[in-house]
Amino acid sequence: MELALLYSGGKDSSLAALLLDRFYDVRCVTGSFGLTDDWEHAERAATALGFPFERVELGREVAEEAAERMIADGYPRNGIQRIHEHTLESIAELDVDAVADGTRRDDRVPTVSRAQAQSLEDRHGVDYISPLSGFGRHAVDRLVEATFDVEQGPSEEIPKADYEGEIRALIAERHDEAAVTDVFPDHEQTYVHRRHD
Amino acid sequence: MELALLYSGGKDSSLAALLLDRFYDVRCVTGSFGLTDDWEHAERAATALGFPFERVELGREVAEEAAERMIADGYPRNGIQRIHEHTLESIAELDVDAVADGTRRDDRVPTVSRAQAQSLEDRHGVDYISPLSGFGRHAVDRLVEATFDVEQGPSEEIPKADYEGEIRALIAERHDEAAVTDVFPDHEQTYVHRRHD
């Protein structure tokens, strides 16, 4: 069975890929607005893990809308949620039996409610799977440590492809760097380089 | 990492075992009140799948309390929930790094809320994992069909070890068969015989 996994190159979606690999032909898919080349980080990580990769083009108007929402809010949560939903809708259009993401039990954003999951499944005729939603933060951290070589650091220094880079670029272009810092306070990110030997 | 999986021999917990097998040393564990030998069905299914098996003795007073609750309610939900929570507490006492169950996204009972999961983890120093909670009914059914030889039929004819047999026996002994039928209306169950070749 063919499955498209929303993939950023980070530890959560990398762990999700290995969990699903037991039962599905997993393709790692990264959405991109075409604003930066950040999606190439995801392609490198997917290739290092041995999974096929695909870039999916996302509607530029969704980036604009999400960026303005983040600036109005003063924090990224609702904008990130909007982009995540749009990206799930986009990959559900692919010729696959199932779509998946790396959402964990303890994540506050993005979230996909049971009703949203059922709606996505019914409208697109696919299964939606969140293989990490039954794993807490501590369990994920232990599995990641046992499985991957991970680079961790401040968000802006870590290569990744989780929309943040593109939205930062968009806000900097339309507004300024101060607006970027207002929306995205310092936080830690991870990037998977390879599996342990 | 050692993991104790609550195991009934049914399709959900069997699928959970295979998902977790990628990352954990999975032991299939079945709780028993000592009222019937139903747990032996779970042992046979676990052995057929190649997993070590363990029977854990549950407090008889919990069976009594759950049975009376079911009779008072006229349906099994709250009693089953009580037993599930008690069994999770019991296996969390084992010398393991993690405990797990086969709860699915679309299950209404038993359920383990995020707060309950966190409490179990904090009090026992284990991770609690519900590897199927990100899978809907349709996804589980497809994976089961692709993976196992399953026997399906009316609940009372299918060998299994999910507490229902023991609680039926207890209610029949303390009350009568009519009380059993009042609490447990006809429903379908599954039992895993083996993996496909």
Side-chain angles (χ1 to χ4, degrees):
Chain A
M1 282 178 287
E2 298 284 328
L3 180 143
L5 168 68
L6 267 191
Y7 188 70
S8 71
K11 61 188 170 72
D12 295 344
S13 53
S14 294
L15 193 61
L18 294 191
L19 270 167
L20 293 166
D21 188 38
R22 175 77 180 74
F23 291 102
Y24 293 94
D25 295 319
V26 174
R27 192 190 319 170
C28 292
V29 181
T30 299
S32 168
F33 296 108
L35 294 163
T36 72
D37 294 330
D38 283 351
W39 60 272
E40 293 176 0
H41 299 303
E43 180 171 36
R44 266 196 298 276
T47 304
L49 296 180
F51 291 99
F53 177 84
E54 184 173 339
R55 172 183 175 273
V56 164
E57 196 155 345
L58 303 176
R60 185 74 68 104
E61 73 286 359
V62 175
E64 308 266 0
E65 183 192 321
E68 294 311 316
R69 176 65 187 265
M70 291 179 196
I71 289 170
D73 287 344
Y75 53 81
R77 197 171 66 222
N78 295 317
I80 293 288
Q81 179 71 25
R82 172 75 183 90
I83 296 172
H84 190 73
E85 290 171 11
H86 173 64
T87 312
L88 276 180
E89 296 287 336
S90 301
I91 69 169
E93 299 282 348
L94 301 174
D95 184 25
V96 291
D97 303 294
V99 298
D101 62 26
T103 313
R104 294 175 309 182
R105 184 186 82 197
D106 299 337
D107 280 346
R108 286 190 305 171
V109 63
T111 61
V112 177
S113 71
R114 196 173 133 178
Q116 283 177 304
Q118 192 71 59
S119 165
L120 189 75
E121 292 179 334
D122 292 346
R123 286 179 293 106
H124 295 280
V126 295
D127 290 324
Y128 164 73
I129 297 163
S130 51
L132 295 188
S133 65
F135 292 71
R137 186 181 314 267
H138 182 258
V140 169
D141 287 347
R142 289 177 80 166
L143 294 183
V144 165
E145 193 184 338
T147 311
F148 300 120
D149 285 346
V150 168
E151 179 180 355
Q152 182 154 3
S155 186
E156 69 275 20
E157 293 172 15
I158 297 294
K160 63 194 175 300
D162 64 352
Y163 322 123
E164 185 179 320
E166 291 199 286
I167 300 299
R168 279 173 176 268
L170 185 61
I171 294 177
E173 180 194 308
R174 297 293 164 85
H175 303 268
D176 53 26
E177 280 298 333
V180 174
T181 310
D182 281 350
V183 168
F184 295 102
D186 291 344
H187 61 286
E188 296 280 303
Q189 287 279 357
T190 60
Y191 178 72
V192 166
H193 285 288
R194 65 189 72 81
R195 285 172 62 183
H196 293 321
D197 293 329
Chain B
M1 281 178 287
E2 297 284 328
L3 180 143
L5 168 68
L6 266 192
Y7 187 71
S8 71
K11 62 189 170 68
D12 295 343
S13 53
S14 295
L15 193 60
L18 294 190
L19 270 166
L20 293 167
D21 188 38
R22 175 78 180 73
F23 290 102
Y24 294 94
D25 295 319
V26 175
R27 192 190 320 170
C28 292
V29 181
T30 299
S32 167
F33 297 108
L35 295 162
T36 72
D37 294 332
D38 282 353
W39 61 272
E40 293 175 358
H41 300 304
E43 180 172 35
R44 266 195 297 277
T47 304
L49 295 181
F51 291 99
F53 177 83
E54 184 173 341
R55 171 182 176 273
V56 164
E57 195 154 344
L58 303 177
R60 185 75 69 102
E61 72 286 359
V62 176
E64 308 268 359
E65 182 194 320
E68 294 312 314
R69 177 66 187 265
M70 291 180 195
I71 288 170
D73 287 344
Y75 54 81
R77 197 169 67 222
N78 296 316
I80 292 289
Q81 179 71 26
R82 172 75 183 90
I83 296 172
H84 190 73
E85 289 171 12
H86 173 64
T87 312
L88 276 180
E89 295 287 336
S90 300
I91 70 170
E93 299 282 349
L94 301 175
D95 184 25
V96 291
D97 303 295
V99 298
D101 63 26
T103 313
R104 295 175 310 184
R105 183 186 82 198
D106 299 338
D107 281 346
R108 286 190 304 170
V109 62
T111 61
V112 177
S113 71
R114 196 173 134 179
Q116 283 177 305
Q118 192 71 59
S119 166
L120 188 75
E121 291 178 334
D122 292 345
R123 285 180 294 107
H124 295 279
V126 296
D127 291 325
Y128 163 73
I129 297 162
S130 51
L132 295 188
S133 66
F135 292 72
R137 188 181 312 267
H138 182 258
V140 169
D141 288 347
R142 288 177 81 165
L143 293 184
V144 165
E145 193 183 339
T147 310
F148 300 120
D149 286 346
V150 168
E151 179 180 354
Q152 182 154 3
S155 183
E156 69 275 21
E157 293 171 16
I158 296 293
K160 63 194 175 298
D162 64 350
Y163 322 122
E164 185 180 319
E166 291 199 286
I167 300 299
R168 280 174 177 267
L170 185 61
I171 295 177
E173 179 194 310
R174 297 292 164 85
H175 301 269
D176 53 26
E177 280 299 333
V180 175
T181 312
D182 281 351
V183 169
F184 295 103
D186 292 343
H187 61 285
E188 296 279 304
Q189 288 280 356
T190 59
Y191 178 72
V192 166
H193 285 289
R194 65 190 70 80
R195 286 173 61 183
H196 293 322
D197 294 330

